[in-house]
Amino acid sequence: MRACGMRHLVIMVGAGPAALYCTGKLVEAGHTVLILNRDIKPGGLAEYGIYPTKYKMKEGLRKQFRRILAHPRVLYFGNVTVGEAGPVRLLDLEALKASAIVVAAGAQGTKSLGLPGEDGPSVYHAKDLVYHYNHLPPFSEREFPMGQRVAVIGIGNVMVDIAHYLITMRRVQEVIAVARRGPKERAYDDREMQAIAANIDREALKRELERIRPRLAPLGQEVDALYQELTRRSDLPPEDGESPTRLTFRFLASPTRVLRDAQGRVLGLDIEENTLVDRGGKLAAKGLGQVSRLPVDTVIFAIGDRVDTTLGLPVRNGGYATNPTPDPQDPAAAKYQVVDPQTSQPLNGAFVIGWSRSASEGVVGKARLDGEKGAAVVNRFLARRPPLSCREIYQQRIGPLYHRLREQKVPVVHKGLWRVLEKVEQEEARKRGLPEFKYARNEEMLQVLEGAINRLASRSAR
């Protein structure tokens, strides 16, 4: 019998930063955590969302995640999708009667603006592209044909990453960042822009700032100062080598339509001119009714994500329904507790953290903070519940779930197999002289693991 004491079982759906940091705090409190992850490898956006060439950052996070996953009370089932279309539904997990279920599956849905013409070829969502160039199946297996003049809608860090990809990997002719508000309201971190600042077309930027000067002046925003801010790092050498791609901006512009020809090809993006107005102390875009056309052949939405409505959790106002009436005994718990939107009563033992709680909010540091705050909420909840024995945890809850997956022929990848896969990929990178190597198809990863298991079995039989 495993040593687990008289504690609790928490089922964690997802294995991104919020999930793993939350797991670390839960096992510190003495609980057992079973992680169910859609992907074969853990890490979520830390593995598949950080720009590919940020090797040092990614490896630093992987080391932290390895320590958390190595804990004997952490069980990892990779390649297991939870949801209405997956081998395991949320109702199945509830039937196991774990002490708590924490959903940390990120925000797997995509936002769009509902523009005429946005459905069809050459219009993409940023997250799909990010997953593609980071080799996450099945996005890694899709083709993303790209034109030469690409409009990226949005002006946050995701826009910067997409522009980075278009400039250094696809080397398109021009990337146009389209922003509803002005340069002062840009949402990206200026340090992130350093990777592509050398590609900013400075003359085009000057013309763009002059064009909107009459709308910025009444707000006290000085064009010359803004130009200096936007080009602060443009004299530095590009991080990933030179590229001929021009990076331009179109500020105070709201897309209204994707124009296509009779064959469905993208011809341009119609945009409405905006001005900025004060709404409750915050500057907001207000349309002026003047529409012009950007001649582009590809459009990418980088405007954030939304939760997966097929997971099985109740949804309200575009996100999972959380508690609108905090418990006076534990007010911090409300935003992590899932509720029935009809009754506003908490669903006993169901919690959300990370982007599943607040989609597209922050990056890894914020995910860690949210995961650890969520863990504190879950720990307080568990302190009020009768504990479970080892038999109840392993034989009556985890065991039946594992056998169910085996019966459905789901190839579950536990943490030992994941470490084998990591070592194989590291050796493959060394052989190829690459800083990093990833298999881009689940089938390849499972074949690699099957081969490793067979070799071990052959050695044991000798």
Side-chain angles (χ1 to χ4, degrees):
M1 188 75 71
R2 297 179 189 232
C4 62
M6 295 288 285
R7 292 292 182 177
H8 292 282
L9 170 65
V10 179
I11 296 178
M12 183 74 63
V13 180
L20 294 173
Y21 288 121
C22 181
T23 294
K25 292 299 181 182
L26 292 172
V27 295
E28 278 181 17
H31 308 307
T32 298
V33 180
L34 169 62
I35 299 173
L36 304 178
N37 188 30
R38 175 198 67 180
D39 308 325
I40 287 177
K41 296 192 285 189
L45 284 179
E47 182 67 34
Y48 294 113
I50 294 173
Y51 198 76
T53 56
K54 295 183 178 179
Y55 305 113
K56 186 175 180 180
M57 177 190 294
K58 288 190 291 183
E59 185 54 30
L61 291 168
R62 287 177 186 140
K63 286 179 180 177
Q64 296 176 47
F65 298 159
R66 289 184 197 115
R67 286 196 294 270
I68 293 168
L69 287 160
H71 195 286
R73 284 197 304 276
V74 176
L75 291 89
Y76 176 78
F77 289 2
N79 198 42
V80 176
T81 299
V82 175
E84 293 170 7
V88 181
R89 298 172 305 159
L90 207 60
L91 287 174
D92 301 323
L93 299 182
E94 292 168 358
L96 292 174
K97 298 190 182 302
S99 308
I101 297 173
V102 179
V103 172
Q108 300 305 325
T110 52
K111 280 185 180 179
S112 67
L113 297 177
L115 307 181
E118 73 174 32
D119 295 324
S122 301
V123 176
Y124 309 121
H125 294 279
K127 183 175 62 189
D128 294 354
L129 274 171
V130 170
Y131 284 166
H132 171 74
Y133 64 64
N134 273 300
H135 300 295
L136 172 64
F139 302 91
S140 51
E141 301 167 59
R142 282 180 54 191
E143 295 292 334
F144 288 87
M146 202 69 61
Q148 287 301 311
R149 300 194 78 238
V150 184
V152 183
I153 301 170
I155 197 161
N157 285 331
V158 175
M159 178 280 292
V160 176
D161 275 356
I162 294 296
H164 192 173
Y165 164 70
L166 295 171
I167 289 168
T168 61
M169 295 187 188
R170 302 301 290 263
R171 297 170 72 86
V172 302
Q173 179 182 321
E174 182 177 2
V175 177
I176 308 162
V178 180
R180 287 185 306 113
R181 295 186 293 170
K184 193 70 176 177
E185 292 74 44
R186 65 193 183 278
Y188 63 75
D189 184 328
D190 286 343
R191 290 170 297 182
E192 294 297 312
M193 182 59 80
Q194 181 172 328
I196 54 173
N199 290 83
I200 294 174
D201 185 326
R202 300 193 204 187
E203 290 305 314
L205 177 59
K206 285 178 182 177
R207 291 194 297 271
E208 174 63 10
L209 292 175
E210 283 299 326
R211 187 183 70 83
I212 60 174
R213 182 192 287 270
R215 285 173 266 173
L216 299 181
L219 303 171
Q221 295 185 13
E222 219 294 309
V223 161
D224 292 339
L226 288 170
Y227 176 81
Q228 294 302 319
E229 288 179 23
L230 292 166
T231 59
R232 185 175 297 141
R233 291 172 168 82
S234 58
D235 287 327
L236 298 174
E239 292 180 0
D240 296 325
E242 293 186 358
S243 163
T245 305
R246 298 169 58 227
L247 174 59
T248 62
F249 298 86
R250 185 64 179 255
F251 295 111
L252 297 174
S254 289
T256 61
R257 180 172 70 136
V258 178
L259 183 69
R260 295 181 182 273
D261 65 14
Q263 288 72 44
R265 292 173 298 205
V266 173
L267 297 178
L269 180 70
D270 285 354
I271 53 174
E272 180 182 8
E273 295 296 325
N274 295 328
T275 190
L276 293 173
V277 295
D278 189 300
R279 288 182 183 161
K282 186 176 180 180
L283 290 177
K286 178 183 177 183
L288 295 173
Q290 303 165 9
V291 176
S292 58
R293 180 165 297 161
L294 282 178
V296 298
D297 48 26
T298 310
V299 177
I300 300 172
F301 291 102
I303 56 175
D305 309 298
R306 59 181 178 85
V307 298
D308 179 4
T309 57
T310 69
L311 185 68
L313 284 180
V315 175
R316 180 171 58 194
N317 299 327
Y320 295 133
T322 51
N323 198 347
T325 53
D327 181 348
Q329 302 298 318
D330 192 0
K335 61 185 178 180
Y336 297 94
Q337 291 176 314
V338 181
V339 299
D340 181 336
Q342 302 300 319
T343 65
S344 291
Q345 292 302 306
L347 299 180
N348 196 31
F351 302 89
V352 286
I353 59 173
W355 280 17
S356 285
R357 186 187 66 78
S358 184
S360 305
E361 186 175 294
V363 286
V364 174
K366 196 155 190 175
R368 175 174 189 164
L369 182 63
D370 200 68
E372 292 180 347
K373 283 183 176 180
V377 168
V378 176
N379 280 330
R380 290 195 294 273
F381 168 81
L382 295 176
R384 302 191 296 269
R385 306 256 304 178
L388 301 173
S389 67
C390 273
R391 178 182 178 83
E392 289 173 311
I393 289 175
Y394 288 99
Q395 294 185 18
Q396 297 179 12
R397 287 159 176 80
I398 297 175
L401 176 60
Y402 183 71
H403 289 305
R404 174 193 173 94
L405 291 167
R406 290 289 300 270
E407 288 171 359
Q408 292 178 289
K409 302 190 184 310
V410 176
V412 177
V413 178
H414 58 70
K415 61 186 179 183
L417 289 175
W418 159 62
R419 291 292 284 126
V420 169
L421 178 62
E422 266 205 326
K423 289 173 182 172
V424 171
E425 289 187 331
Q426 288 165 358
E427 178 61 19
E428 195 65 33
R430 187 191 66 77
K431 287 179 184 176
R432 299 181 183 215
L434 299 172
E436 181 176 280
F437 172 82
K438 287 183 182 179
Y439 290 103
R441 298 172 60 244
N442 282 340
E443 292 80 3
E444 290 176 313
M445 289 184 252
L446 294 173
Q447 286 169 8
V448 164
L449 290 174
E450 184 179 2
I453 292 169
N454 291 339
R455 285 192 295 274
L456 287 172
S458 176
R459 289 172 193 162
S460 300
R462 290 173 189 167

